Amino acid sequence: MQTINIAIVVVYLVAMLGFGWWGKSRTKNTSDYLVAGRRLGPLLYTGTMAAVVLGGASTVGGVGLGYTFGISGMWLVVAIGTGVLLLSLLFAPTIQKLKIYTVSQMLTLRYGHEATKVSGIVMLAYTLMLCATSTGAYATIFVVLFGWDRALSIALGGVIVLIYSTIGGMWSITLADMAQFVIKTIGVFALMLPFALASAGGFSGIAERSEAEFFSITGIGLQSIITYFVVYTLGLLIGQDIWQRVFTSKTPVVARWGGAAAGVYCILYGVAGAVIGMAASVILPNIESRDDVYADIAINVLPIGVGGLVLAAAVAAMMSTASGALIAAATVARTDVVPYVRSWFGQGPGVDSASDPKGSDAAAEDGHDVASSRRWVLGLGIVTIALAIVVQDVVAALTIAYDILVGGLLVAILGGLVWKRGNGLGAGVSMAVGTTVTLATMAYLEINAEDQYDGVYANEPIYYGLLASAAAYILVSYMTPATSAPVMAAWERRVAGILPDDDGAEPAGPPPSTEHRAR
């Protein structure tokens, strides 16, 4: 009977490949390939935003946390949903109007300073580790379902994501994510939640066989809750994979309210996952690893066929995060990192239509731009599959990348959006100081660690990095000249939604000033 579950998952995987070819037919230029032509309406945008943030940690991990800690296991996913809400309500409309491709391009536009370009390297490391972690995560489902070894499972799943992402770019990913969003919604809310609750005897049945602490919203510990909000909420505000979805929205209104709807959905998803885990603790009380809870419920509790849909929902969650991180990594590598590294050797930046933050999408019409983007997605996809197979502790690498992302870059990015006095030198120094303090604290704690939570996984590196970064940003910005008037004028035009082609401004960007050194 397990064959039916396997068949359902196989059909889902084949459908993902079909979305790759469907997306290819809609991809005509770089804008189509990287940001779906900036044409997503409310429905598609909400679905794809929810899909990209709700990965394996939110789905399999969220149920596992509910199994161990009860209703308070919801906080990880609630923190993610809160991040989406804050980004959408506070910053997404402004980000959408910039008509750019990467976070680093926003820094270049806002500050006009070379020091901010190192952010692309940090963002590339973060997106690669996120992709590798997600690639390794959905292999656990294949191991349970097919009985394959870990390397083969990673390779097969990774190749499927790689094919549909490479062929159609963001359009393929958007269409696949929308299907994944529907599958996750049905699998978690319509199937897994009611079946698990019914099998456990409802909330009264859970209460009879569980301690009162299981229903405490702070049962997981206040420190863990704070950490989730610091790491995930703040990280979601500035991650390239999330910003790239904002770039796909058709209008600022879609970016704000479509994203807000996705944030609310994520919060409900977190609550549902925790409740499913609570029910599982009553139905299957002897599961050793909480990461196995989701699959065990699908196989041992749910009816044949329903279990297959639920397993497909887990794979969908992980693949949506992996594909989003993959195209984000390729975009950052091609647009930010390669031109920056070439400048170290005295070569021209090699700017093309995708890497020029000052030009509009009208310049990105040539087919060779799409071909170049496909090569980057393909190459980095192979790298992430290899990383997921070879590196056993990719979670540690992702934690380091996340800590640097938040501790080093958050202040400069959000400061540029909300504080006009912040300048390029302040941003550059804040990134350097925040990153250094974060890494130094992490290294010190790792050397003196008494258990695994005192080293790389400790909370202090982000706290100290953020404080040092904020102090440096404010002090240096006040002690040095403000961002030059031409750079700020160009920034204000972009924030107002006026592109260079619209107002006749020079498309090459802000003119040279005391803060901008042309290559």
Side-chain angles (χ1 to χ4, degrees):
M1 296 298 289
Q2 189 66 17
T3 304
I4 297 176
N5 286 341
I6 293 175
I8 291 172
V9 174
V10 170
V11 169
Y12 162 76
L13 295 176
V14 173
M16 292 303 100
L17 297 177
F19 282 120
W21 292 105
W22 187 3
K24 182 181 179 182
S25 67
R26 307 196 65 167
T27 301
K28 308 300 181 185
N29 53 48
T30 300
S31 176
D32 287 337
Y33 192 84
L34 298 181
V35 290
R38 309 187 194 275
R39 299 199 299 272
L40 297 193
L43 182 60
L44 279 177
Y45 180 77
T46 298
T48 192
M49 177 62 83
V52 74
V53 298
L54 294 175
S58 303
T59 304
V60 175
V63 170
L65 288 172
Y67 185 88
T68 305
F69 300 104
I71 192 63
S72 66
M74 71 180 183
W75 284 115
L76 184 149
V77 187
V78 168
I80 291 173
T82 302
V84 175
L85 265 176
L86 290 177
L87 174 68
S88 302
L89 295 176
L90 300 179
F91 305 113
T94 297
I95 295 169
Q96 191 276 342
K97 287 186 284 188
L98 295 176
K99 296 295 186 287
I100 53 177
Y101 291 95
T102 69
V103 176
S104 184
Q105 286 182 327
M106 169 262 159
L107 293 172
T108 299
L109 279 169
R110 168 61 180 82
Y111 296 114
H113 200 286
E114 293 289 320
T116 61
K117 294 186 177 180
V118 71
S119 62
I121 296 175
V122 176
M123 201 64 74
L124 177 60
Y126 157 72
T127 51
L128 280 176
M129 289 302 104
L130 180 60
C131 186
T133 303
S134 300
T135 300
Y138 53 69
T140 60
I141 301 295
F142 293 163
V143 169
V144 172
L145 199 58
F146 300 111
W148 298 336
D149 65 35
R150 177 177 175 273
L152 178 60
S153 299
I154 290 173
L156 177 66
V159 166
I160 291 171
V161 171
L162 183 58
I163 290 174
Y164 78 73
S165 299
T166 301
I167 292 174
M170 187 59 84
W171 268 120
S172 292
I173 292 170
T174 296
L175 296 170
D177 278 358
M178 196 62 201
Q180 290 160 354
F181 172 73
V182 172
I183 292 171
K184 283 189 287 190
T185 301
I186 295 173
V188 171
F189 288 101
L191 298 176
M192 202 171 194
L193 180 60
F195 271 107
L197 266 179
S199 298
F203 286 105
S204 59
I206 297 174
E208 289 173 4
R209 288 174 278 182
S210 304
E211 298 179 0
E213 185 72 8
F214 224 51
F215 287 86
S216 170
I217 62 171
T218 58
I220 199 170
L222 186 60
Q223 182 62 38
S224 294
I225 295 171
I226 293 172
T227 299
Y228 290 149
F229 279 92
V230 170
V231 175
Y232 294 105
T233 301
L234 296 182
L236 277 164
L237 293 178
I238 59 173
Q240 170 66 27
D241 52 322
I242 311 304
W243 276 41
Q244 198 153 341
R245 297 310 172 105
V246 176
F247 300 150
T248 66
S249 60
K250 188 174 183 178
T251 66
V253 173
V254 170
R256 169 172 283 160
W257 298 114
V264 172
Y265 176 91
C266 293
I267 292 172
L268 296 175
Y269 195 89
V271 174
V275 172
I276 291 168
M278 293 171 69
S281 70
V282 171
I283 305 166
L284 303 169
N286 299 315
I287 300 176
E288 294 183 2
S289 173
R290 68 188 186 200
D291 288 339
D292 295 335
V293 175
Y294 187 99
D296 280 354
I297 294 175
I299 294 173
N300 299 315
V301 176
L302 302 182
I304 295 295
V306 172
L309 285 173
V310 167
L311 289 173
V315 177
M318 299 167 193
M319 283 189 167
S320 59
T321 300
S323 59
L326 175 57
I327 197 166
T331 304
V332 169
R334 179 192 174 196
T335 304
D336 300 325
V337 176
V338 171
Y340 181 54
V341 171
R342 289 182 64 182
S343 70
W344 298 350
F345 304 98
Q347 301 180 30
V351 174
D352 58 21
S353 57
S355 60
D356 181 6
K358 320 306 187 293
S360 68
D361 289 332
E365 295 295 333
D366 294 335
H368 73 273
D369 287 329
V370 175
S372 175
S373 295
R374 284 196 177 108
R375 287 193 293 270
W376 276 106
V377 172
L378 177 62
L380 289 177
I382 294 171
V383 169
T384 55
I385 292 172
L387 277 174
I389 293 174
V390 174
V391 180
Q392 296 298 312
D393 198 357
V394 291
V395 175
L398 179 62
T399 301
I400 294 171
Y402 240 120
D403 282 6
I404 296 173
L405 179 72
V406 176
L409 304 189
L410 179 79
V411 171
I413 294 170
L414 296 190
L417 291 172
V418 302
W419 192 40
K420 292 185 178 181
R421 186 59 181 83
N423 62 24
L425 187 58
V429 173
S430 77
M431 288 193 293
V433 170
T435 300
T436 300
V437 170
T438 299
L439 289 176
T441 305
M442 192 178 295
Y444 174 80
L445 293 175
E446 183 68 23
I447 292 171
N448 297 280
E450 295 182 1
D451 60 54
Q452 61 172 329
Y453 298 106
D454 289 336
V456 170
Y457 300 103
N459 304 322
E460 288 82 0
I462 286 184
Y463 300 155
Y464 295 148
L466 276 174
L467 288 173
S469 179
Y473 183 67
I474 294 170
L475 288 174
V476 174
S477 293
Y478 271 127
M479 293 171 62
T480 55
T483 304
S484 66
V487 172
M488 285 303 297
W491 168 256
E492 294 293 344
R493 288 196 298 270
R494 293 298 281 263
V495 168
I498 303 172
L499 300 181
D501 289 345
D502 296 330
D503 65 359
E506 187 65 32
S513 68
T514 56
E515 286 202 85
H516 179 70
R517 176 173 56 82
R519 291 202 190 102

